[in-house]
Amino acid sequence: MLYNILKQYGRGVKYWIGTGNEADINVSELINYMIDDPEVNVLQVYIEDVKDSVSLIKAAEKSKKMKKPILALKSGRTLEGSKAASSHTGALASEDIVFDAVFSNYGIVRVDSVVELGLFSQVFELRKVPKGKKVAIISNSGGLGVMMIDKCKEMGLDLASFSNTTIQKLSEVLPVFVTPQNPIDVATQLLNDKDLLEKIMTVLKDDQNVDIILIGLGIIGQGYDVPKMIEHVSAAQKDSDAIIALTGVGCQKEILETFSRRGVPSFEDPNLCIKAVASYVKYHKDLQNEFDNDSFEPLVSSNMIQLDRKGYLNEFESKALLKQWNLPTTREILCTSAEEAKQAAETIGFPIVMKVSSKDIQHKTEIGGIMLNIQNEEQIKEAFNKIMSNATQHVNEEKIDGILVQEMILDKGFEISLGVKRDRVFGPIIMIASGGIYIEVLKDFKLLVPPLNYSKVKDAVNSLVMAPLLKGARGKKPLDLPALYETIISFSKFVTQIESIEEVDLNPVIVLEEGKGVRIVDSIIKFKE
């Protein structure tokens, strides 16, 4: 099927390789080999699992430098699919969302079907760099034009606002009943004016507000001067900086294939057309942002640290380790008696938080191991005894290191969660998420692959559902986003340079008002056993 799609749409095939169970040569090695071939422009890959992550990342980095996109169809999205893939290839599949993060980070474009794998190459073979994501739509069907607008918005593309000059020039070439606005609905006028498409594109390609021109044609066939249309659109593709793509609903397949062979990506399905273009725009945007900031750190440091620790740390030890990396933790003092707790409270200042500190208790709230808003010495003694009583119902007393007396953050901010898990294939994967119930109920999180830079972190935070609340929604003061970005970058350095760390959970991380910074309130760190 894939081979037929490529041949029908005029795509040359240099290599066609089936890897079987990859007992010897794997997909990553083949990509590294083929990408050096000067006759190869786009690589299309089917992947069940990755056995050699270093080789895949090397290939992806090389593809970005050489501007040879990799389109990948990764199967095993579901748990059941992963098990099937594992049975077939003899490999254990990583969680699918990790592949999404890795592919996005290294510029591998993930597609969802064999049809997308075959057809998207039309767009990715274009030697144009998109100026932006503003779209002009030309259609001979009002309904088709509206559907294309909806899909553009869904895929993150914007409808272009024509300049006054463009509107004036369009008014001169369009019939009087056609409004010179975006989208341009020419109705049946392509039958009456064989040069109308060329006239419109000549105007649009000079408008700096137009980055992409999408042409939506419904039932083009007898009565239309198709050869002239193909000539005009392909000429515009060569002469214009804009990305031009076409969808033909109900058109003869041969017409679309001819458009494609003449350099105009063409699709029967408008949704596929727009998704392909949006993927191409995102691919180039990610390339431009890759090294735009001096906060970039190498993944493998010459100063890689091996700490002689195993299993979980208690919270006091976790916070002490975080402080060594200049991560902004709350102030706290570990106490072994109520009297020590009183002295600690005098040092820190009321109100305080008290909580159990034990490597065998990770979820303190669930066992009654934490008490908030303690205001005086009398409450300290009561809280100390209560927390110890609750904790010893779950672990032996000798496994409790003490009670942590911690400052209570009074300023209203927003709770963020930061975490890391070391994936078996790709190493540390960082999670940025809304804190509290939002991560569980709304699944509001973003996965990133270190190393990180400022742009990657900023884009990830802004992609969260709760991002508007960080910026000061509904009259509230904006929160300290720059401090959050720097904290995440420091966290990335921390988890990548201590190789023995397996998991970290910082939750909540409170983002305070602008200028007041960030505080890590609770932390769990687990080292490899």
Side-chain angles (χ1 to χ4, degrees):
M1 180 180 180
L2 176 60
Y3 184 81
N4 289 336
I5 291 172
L6 295 173
K7 296 299 289 183
Q8 288 167 357
Y9 282 80
R11 315 264 80 75
V13 179
K14 180 70 183 286
Y15 301 98
W16 185 275
I17 303 172
T19 60
N21 64 2
E22 301 183 12
D24 184 12
I25 304 297
N26 60 52
V27 167
S28 302
E29 292 172 316
L30 290 170
I31 295 172
N32 267 297
Y33 171 77
M34 291 185 289
I35 208 163
D36 287 325
D37 190 326
E39 294 183 348
V40 172
N41 297 318
V42 178
L43 288 94
Q44 293 149 291
V45 185
Y46 169 76
I47 301 174
E48 287 183 356
D49 193 31
V50 175
K51 294 182 177 181
D52 185 353
S53 62
V54 174
S55 182
L56 179 65
I57 290 169
K58 179 183 174 182
E61 296 280 13
K62 190 188 298 184
S63 80
K64 289 192 291 187
K65 291 178 182 177
M66 300 177 73
K67 294 183 173 57
K68 294 185 176 184
I70 299 173
L71 306 181
L73 175 58
K74 166 66 175 68
S75 61
R77 282 189 177 274
T78 63
L79 178 61
E80 292 78 8
S82 296
K83 289 179 178 178
S86 176
S87 175
H88 180 63
T89 63
L92 294 172
S94 291
E95 292 184 46
D96 192 68
I97 54 175
V98 172
F99 276 96
D100 277 338
V102 171
F103 285 2
S104 176
N105 185 77
Y106 290 105
I108 298 174
V109 180
R110 188 168 188 176
V111 298
D112 294 321
S113 68
V114 174
V115 173
E116 289 186 5
L117 189 63
L119 291 179
F120 280 23
S121 62
Q122 300 177 86
V123 180
F124 282 84
E125 281 187 348
L126 294 174
R127 292 302 182 185
K128 294 182 178 183
V129 177
K131 299 179 296 179
K133 58 179 184 177
K134 298 186 291 294
V135 178
I137 296 174
I138 309 169
S139 175
N140 66 342
S141 164
L144 178 57
V146 171
M147 288 190 291
M148 291 174 71
I149 292 173
D150 289 343
K151 190 64 180 179
C152 282
K153 296 301 294 183
E154 178 188 333
M155 298 304 302
L157 301 177
D158 298 329
L159 199 64
S161 297
F162 296 154
S163 68
N164 292 333
T165 301
T166 295
I167 292 173
Q168 177 59 40
K169 289 182 177 179
L170 286 175
S171 299
E172 296 170 1
V173 300
L174 291 171
V176 66
F177 56 85
V178 176
T179 305
Q181 299 290 344
N182 199 10
I184 303 171
D185 177 12
V186 298
T188 59
Q189 291 308 298
L190 293 177
L191 288 167
N192 301 325
D193 186 347
K194 310 297 184 182
D195 297 318
L196 182 57
L197 202 53
E198 179 188 30
K199 294 173 186 176
I200 295 171
M201 288 188 296
T202 299
V203 175
L204 292 181
K205 71 181 183 180
D206 292 332
D207 191 331
Q208 294 302 309
N209 295 331
V210 175
D211 306 314
I212 302 160
I213 300 174
L214 298 180
I215 303 170
L217 302 177
I219 316 179
I220 297 296
Q222 187 174 1
Y224 291 89
D225 192 340
V226 175
K228 181 172 281 190
M229 293 169 65
I230 294 171
E231 191 66 38
H232 289 163
V233 178
S234 61
Q237 183 80 287
K238 293 177 183 177
D239 298 340
S240 172
D241 292 333
I243 306 296
I244 301 176
L246 180 144
T247 179
V249 179
C251 297
Q252 295 175 358
K253 196 168 184 179
E254 292 77 10
I255 294 175
L256 299 180
E257 292 169 0
T258 305
F259 268 113
S260 180
R261 293 191 189 98
R262 295 293 300 274
V264 181
S266 302
F267 302 79
E268 291 182 86
D269 185 345
N271 289 339
L272 284 181
C273 175
I274 293 165
K275 185 177 179 181
V277 171
S279 299
Y280 187 66
V281 170
K282 183 181 183 302
Y283 169 79
H284 279 280
K285 179 179 181 292
D286 290 344
L287 284 184
Q288 293 167 4
N289 289 341
E290 186 64 26
F291 300 103
D292 65 343
N293 192 279
D294 60 4
S295 293
F296 189 86
E297 288 289 328
L299 178 60
V300 180
S301 169
S302 59
N303 299 319
M304 185 72 74
I305 297 170
Q306 287 285 358
L307 295 182
D308 187 20
R309 308 299 292 266
K310 293 182 179 180
Y312 288 100
L313 302 184
N314 65 36
E315 185 178 347
F316 183 72
E317 294 170 325
S318 297
K319 294 276 189 67
L321 186 57
L322 294 173
K323 287 173 184 175
Q324 293 179 29
W325 291 79
N326 297 318
L327 285 159
T329 64
T330 50
R331 292 178 296 148
E332 54 260 315
I333 299 173
L334 184 63
C335 305
T336 57
S337 68
E339 188 59 37
E340 287 183 7
K342 290 177 184 178
Q343 295 173 9
E346 290 177 4
T347 301
I348 293 174
F350 290 104
I352 59 168
V353 175
M354 295 177 65
K355 47 188 172 180
V356 66
S357 183
S358 169
K359 66 178 183 178
D360 294 297
I361 300 175
Q362 283 80 53
H363 303 290
K364 296 178 277 290
T365 303
E366 295 174 5
I367 67 158
I370 180 169
M371 293 193 177
L372 308 175
N373 200 27
I374 296 169
Q375 298 283 351
N376 53 54
E377 291 186 359
E378 184 177 338
Q379 290 179 358
I380 287 177
K381 183 177 180 180
E382 182 182 343
F384 191 97
N385 294 333
K386 182 66 174 175
I387 292 171
M388 286 296 293
S389 174
N390 291 340
T392 52
Q393 293 180 37
H394 297 272
V395 299
N396 294 331
E397 188 171 348
E398 60 268 20
K399 293 185 177 181
I400 298 174
D401 302 304
I403 301 297
L404 209 56
V405 174
Q406 177 182 298
E407 69 171 312
M408 184 164 178
I409 304 299
L410 299 176
D411 293 348
K412 291 184 178 179
F414 188 80
E415 293 185 4
I416 288 289
S417 175
L418 295 179
V420 71
K421 185 173 182 179
R422 193 169 293 274
D423 182 75
R424 66 166 186 87
V425 176
F426 297 107
I429 304 295
I430 291 174
M431 180 193 72
I432 305 171
S434 295
I437 64 171
Y438 298 116
I439 183 175
E440 298 174 2
V441 176
L442 300 179
K443 308 298 182 186
D444 188 21
F445 66 91
K446 180 76 173 179
L447 298 185
L448 294 176
V449 182
L452 305 182
N453 61 24
Y454 200 85
S455 290
K456 285 184 180 180
V457 170
K458 184 178 180 180
D459 286 347
V461 172
N462 288 335
S463 71
L464 296 175
V465 175
M466 295 299 165
L469 299 179
L470 293 166
K471 299 175 183 178
R474 309 235 2 160
K476 293 185 178 180
K477 293 182 179 180
L479 304 183
D480 204 337
L481 284 171
L484 175 61
Y485 302 152
E486 292 299 336
T487 298
I488 295 170
I489 291 170
S490 296
F491 179 62
S492 169
K493 296 175 185 178
F494 166 67
V495 298
T496 54
Q497 293 190 352
I498 303 180
E499 192 176 27
S500 47
I501 285 179
E502 186 173 294
E503 292 182 37
V504 180
D505 183 22
L506 309 183
N507 185 20
V509 177
I510 299 181
V511 188
L512 303 173
E513 287 183 0
E514 199 168 35
K516 293 186 177 182
V518 171
R519 294 291 184 277
I520 298 168
V521 174
D522 207 338
S523 65
I524 298 173
I525 297 178
K526 182 183 180 183
F527 283 82
K528 295 177 183 177
E529 295 287 354

